[in-house]
Amino acid sequence: MQLSFTAAFSWLVFIVSAVAYSIESGSVSVNGNKAFDIVPDSEDVHRVVLESVREKVALSVVLKGNVAEKPHQLNFVFTDNNGLDYATYPSFDTTKKTATSSILVNKIPPALLSQERVFVYIIAADASQKKGQNLYTLLAELVPSESLRASVNYKKPLRLGALPEIHHQFNEDPQTVKPIVPLIFSAIAVALFFVLIGSWFTLVGKSLFVANEGIPFKGGFLTTIALIEFTFVKYYLGATIFTTIFYTAILAGPALVFGSKALKALTKQRTVIEAST
């Protein structure tokens, strides 16, 4: 009974090992020259020193296990073991069960090349595999030389934390004309308003303010004109252009309506006066 249990356990171990992904052999080369062979289940980690960004690193790994076809996930991962990862996607020969990839050093992210060591892992995984049967194994360590790290000229990006104090420099208020200039323009605008009233009074005489059907339009027109004049006076004295445009747009409509009616009434009055004389 004990013998049969031992035999069954041995067969189970054999089946699991046959199904699980593992490394049979492999190699790491630099510029076409083999640097070392990958020894499965070895505790020793081989290191390769990188001297230039023009060098080419080649990886070749022979898998064993259930590899009748390419694993669903197959990557060589370059990492600093601290969150910086860069994955490559090797080609896979189903006949030889071999994953191969070559990469120029200048294709490795500068953030990794600025580190003292770059770890290279292989990942072989498939959804059909059970937990523990996928492969994640360290293959080698790449050691960028000091000259290589200096040539990368990588600057670590700013993260959250204390930053230098920001000092705001506000521009001075733009220079404007002397106060006497807007006062002169305001006086001219007011004078033109009285010139308008005077010219009307000259044309129609005292009948300008005679109470008739046109008096509301005359009063409304003169009022809107006075308000427009007042708006421009405020602009000359310092109001913003947007405020001036806003109030002028509001007053423009009533001024046109009252002006049209008032001018028609004045024309009618003038016709009557000329006919009576």
Side-chain angles (χ1 to χ4, degrees), residues 78-149:
F78 298 79
T79 177
D80 67 345
N81 282 341
N82 195 30
L84 291 176
D85 300 329
Y86 176 71
T88 62
Y89 300 88
S91 58
F92 186 75
D93 188 335
T94 55
T95 303
K96 298 180 180 180
K97 302 180 181 180
T98 303
T100 56
S101 177
S102 61
I103 182 173
L104 288 171
V105 174
N106 61 7
K107 297 298 182 181
I108 301 175
L112 286 174
L113 291 179
S114 64
Q115 306 296 320
E116 294 183 356
R117 292 186 298 173
V118 179
F119 303 91
V120 184
Y121 289 85
I122 183 174
I123 297 177
D126 199 285
S128 62
Q129 299 281 30
K130 295 182 179 180
K131 185 177 180 180
Q133 295 179 356
N134 293 319
L135 178 65
Y136 182 73
T137 301
L138 178 64
L139 299 179
E141 288 184 14
L142 305 180
V143 182
S145 64
E146 292 186 5
S147 59
L148 175 58
R149 281 185 282 142

